[in-house]
Amino acid sequence: MAVEYKFPEGFWWGSAASATQTEGADKEGGKGKNIWDHWYEIEPNRFFEGVGPETTSDFYHRYKEDIQNMKEIGHNTFRMSISWARLIPGGEGHVNQEAVNFYNNVIDEFLANDIEPFVNLFHFDMPLELQEKGGWENREVVDAFVEYARQSFALFGDRVKKWFTFNEPIVPVEGGYLYDFHYPNIVDAKKAVQVAYNTMIAHAKAVKVYHASHDGKIGIILNLTPSYPRSQNPADLKASHVCDLFFNRSFLDPAVKGEFPADLISLLEEHGQLPNTQAGDKTLLKENIVDILGVNYYQPRRVKAKETLPNPYSPFMPDWFFDNYEMPGRKMNPYRGWEIYEKGVYDIMVNLKDNYGNIESFISENGMGVQNEERFLKNGRIEDDYRIDFIKGHLKWVHKAIEEGCNPKGYHLWTFMDNWSWMNAYKNRYGFFSVDIETKERTAKKSATWFAEASKNNGFNG
Ligand code: BGP
């Protein structure tokens, strides 16, 4: 069948998920507590309809069925994460053999079904005991992470050839230290900067360990959000530049180029927000850059120059330098409150080509969360044509980027099956498969069938 949008041979068709959002079995198999278990215990009201992370989608018990389903809908790759608190309860010391068995079984099941597992080490889920020591604020936690990474590479690195240190490392910074949507709900930019900095040091140290001992690829997954200015007015351009520094280049530059942007450093310095560093950090970052970059893309950021002076009594925030701009006529996903702008994915790829050595990359998350999807049920199946349009819309721009010499190797949807999404719990559904949150029964949506065809044809008709 001739297809209009044909992708290069070997294109990665798949999806992504994370341990805490899917495994469940929170109190089983010797798992320790992470910050999500703890936060839910003390503030269940923070979670949509009071649903917490104890059972989620029960991947822990149903992984065989799920992997079978993935195979059926044409996955050749899938990104999972390891739960640090499951593998090393408490975050340091003793490795939990039940967890080793579980992850071995999962990885082997993927390989037996010709699905390459990509493994990520940290997806927002800090072991509680380490958070109690200050989490990423504390360099001891960096060492604990490096040890966890070393153990993971040693245990699973014979079969897993694509590793990622962090998923969206800026999100715990924003959520936990600026905007109150992750535990520990601190609002303190100086700590936020320290957390971001130490995360990057942990990342580079893990990359170093991997390169010294293994021959696969290691990278990081970043949520790159293009910062479009309202206009070409220099004040709007400056607002978008500062946003880009804070929200994209703070991690992208050190990960790919091995150094923080000079203007980010001077901006932080001017406002007394520089982190504590140690001798050797600069060289460490410079010498341990990534082999591959995962790009999560959901929405663009549109900004304009600040219209009012910041309240002098409010704490320092990135938002001191820009206002969000609501572009008239923008297309919205009203459930998640995110703009849909497909071309963003292309702009990111062109930026990586022009300014980041055209590093090997892939779309590691992109997806559409929709509330009350049951209203689209027809003969027992959710007819999610909106999701198919969403995927196609983005893939067309990925295709164009490839034609112009950019380097994305694949596309992973967020996510395979409806899962527990942090504070939003099961509010917005993202999956190719729906999950009944009572019975845990999985049912393919229309998008699953579409994806199976697209993967089989390595492309689709417009
Ligand atoms: C990304 C995260 C995922 C996932 C997704 C959807 O930022 O990496 O873990 O949750 O966003 O967002 P949300 O769950 O907030 O709707």
Side-chain angles (χ1 to χ4, degrees):
M1 175 188 170
V3 291
E4 212 177 319
Y5 295 95
K6 185 96 184 158
F7 287 84
E9 208 178 309
F11 193 71
W12 303 331
W13 297 91
S15 58
S18 84
T20 298
Q21 292 178 273
T22 53
E23 283 178 9
D26 182 31
K27 296 185 177 56
E28 256 178 84
K31 176 178 163 291
K33 270 191 200 172
N34 66 32
I35 54 172
W36 295 94
D37 305 314
H38 174 70
W39 194 21
Y40 179 64
E41 267 174 25
I42 57 171
E43 282 194 286
N45 52 300
R46 289 276 197 148
F47 297 83
F48 185 72
E49 293 179 341
V51 175
E54 318 100 306
T55 53
T56 63
S57 308
D58 199 26
F59 181 74
Y60 190 79
H61 295 111
R62 293 166 195 256
Y63 66 91
K64 284 196 176 166
E65 175 191 349
D66 290 332
I67 292 171
Q68 212 47 53
N69 283 337
M70 286 180 205
K71 187 188 166 105
E72 268 163 40
I73 69 163
H75 278 43
N76 53 24
T77 47
F78 177 78
R79 172 169 55 107
M80 55 181 272
S81 77
I82 294 176
S83 159
W84 185 354
R86 185 180 293 288
L87 192 68
I88 306 180
E92 297 174 282
H94 165 77
V95 172
N96 170 16
Q97 190 55 43
E98 279 185 79
V100 175
N101 297 346
F102 168 65
Y103 290 119
N104 269 335
N105 290 342
V106 168
I107 290 165
D108 291 345
E109 189 72 17
F110 274 121
L111 294 173
N113 284 287
D114 296 320
I115 299 172
E116 182 184 351
F118 296 4
V119 175
N120 173 42
L121 293 169
F122 189 89
H123 198 125
F124 310 165
D125 48 358
M126 177 67 77
L128 180 60
E129 293 81 350
L130 296 183
Q131 188 61 52
E132 283 168 348
K133 290 188 172 179
W136 296 116
E137 284 178 62
N138 183 346
R139 288 279 287 229
E140 277 177 39
V141 171
V142 170
D143 296 337
F145 175 79
V146 178
E147 190 45 37
Y148 156 57
R150 187 194 314 278
Q151 293 278 9
S152 302
F153 303 149
L155 288 163
F156 313 116
D158 57 331
R159 286 151 295 153
V160 174
K161 298 295 173 192
K162 291 199 186 62
W163 288 90
F164 297 89
T165 53
F166 287 86
N167 174 78
E168 301 190 352
I170 200 160
V171 169
V173 177
E174 294 177 284
Y177 293 86
L178 292 172
Y179 306 125
D180 185 37
F181 63 88
H182 277 204
Y183 191 79
N185 310 92
I186 290 170
V187 177
D188 184 330
K190 192 148 169 64
K191 287 189 176 176
V193 171
Q194 191 68 57
V195 163
Y197 181 80
N198 287 352
T199 304
M200 215 46 232
I201 296 296
H203 158 82
K205 287 189 169 196
V207 169
K208 185 173 180 180
V209 169
Y210 187 75
H211 281 155
S213 53
H214 287 78
D215 60 359
K217 290 185 179 177
I218 186 158
I220 193 165
I221 309 267
L222 300 179
N223 47 325
L224 298 180
T225 310
S227 309
Y228 298 108
R230 168 183 58 182
S231 76
Q232 293 303 302
N233 185 295
D236 285 346
L237 293 179
K238 184 158 183 230
S240 92
H241 176 65
V242 172
C243 268
D244 195 33
L245 288 176
F246 273 123
F247 299 111
N248 296 320
R249 296 185 55 197
S250 52
F251 285 95
L252 179 61
D253 283 35
V256 179
K257 294 183 173 171
E259 59 191 21
F260 290 99
D263 21 358
L264 177 62
I265 297 174
S266 40
L267 193 151
L268 292 174
E269 189 169 20
E270 203 182 306
H271 292 272
Q273 305 289 332
L274 280 181
N276 298 323
T277 62
Q278 286 183 9
D281 285 357
K282 254 193 170 169
T283 318
L284 173 83
L285 290 169
K286 198 73 207 169
E287 288 178 352
N288 296 288
I289 55 175
V290 294
D291 309 315
I292 179 171
L293 182 71
V295 174
N296 291 358
Y297 175 69
Y298 289 88
Q299 55 167 342
R301 185 187 286 273
R302 297 192 190 273
V303 293
K304 60 184 179 185
K306 197 94 196 140
E307 290 185 343
T308 53
L309 285 174
N311 174 353
Y313 301 108
S314 72
F316 178 86
M317 284 283 169
D319 319 50
W320 279 18
F321 305 94
F322 65 92
D323 276 345
N324 290 314
Y325 171 60
E326 287 189 11
M327 187 185 72
R330 67 198 177 137
K331 178 160 74 171
M332 288 296 289
N333 169 356
Y335 317 102
R336 190 59 179 83
W338 285 347
E339 182 182 341
I340 299 175
Y341 184 63
E342 295 89 342
K343 178 172 175 283
V345 85
Y346 166 83
D347 292 337
I348 295 170
M349 288 301 147
V350 171
N351 182 33
L352 294 179
K353 175 165 142 244
D354 293 349
N355 302 309
Y356 294 88
N358 210 15
I359 182 165
E360 181 177 64
S361 68
F362 70 113
I363 305 306
S364 42
E365 281 183 34
N366 175 235
M368 189 179 181
V370 173
Q371 204 172 351
N372 299 327
E373 270 200 319
E374 316 78 65
R375 71 202 134 107
F376 301 107
L377 260 178
K378 228 192 217 164
N379 304 323
R381 178 172 89 161
I382 290 171
E383 303 284 301
D384 55 347
D385 293 277
Y386 44 84
R387 182 166 291 107
I388 298 172
D389 290 344
F390 180 97
I391 300 171
K392 274 164 120 175
H394 286 84
L395 273 173
K396 285 178 187 175
W397 284 105
V398 173
H399 188 265
K400 181 171 161 64
I402 296 172
E403 277 185 333
E404 293 177 14
C406 298
N407 203 6
K409 293 288 165 60
Y411 177 90
H412 283 182
L413 186 81
W414 185 267
T415 177
F416 173 67
M417 62 181 155
D418 293 345
N419 69 20
W420 184 82
S421 273
W422 318 113
M423 282 170 68
N424 277 331
Y426 279 93
K427 175 171 175 263
N428 301 311
R429 306 300 180 95
Y430 283 89
F432 282 129
F433 279 71
S434 63
V435 173
D436 180 318
I437 76 165
E438 300 304 326
T439 65
K440 311 292 176 197
E441 191 192 345
R442 282 85 159 120
T443 313
K445 301 179 193 174
K446 185 174 177 183
S447 57
T449 313
W450 179 85
F451 196 76
E453 274 298 291
S455 167
K456 193 171 89 199
N457 297 318
N458 202 26
F460 59 93
N461 282 314

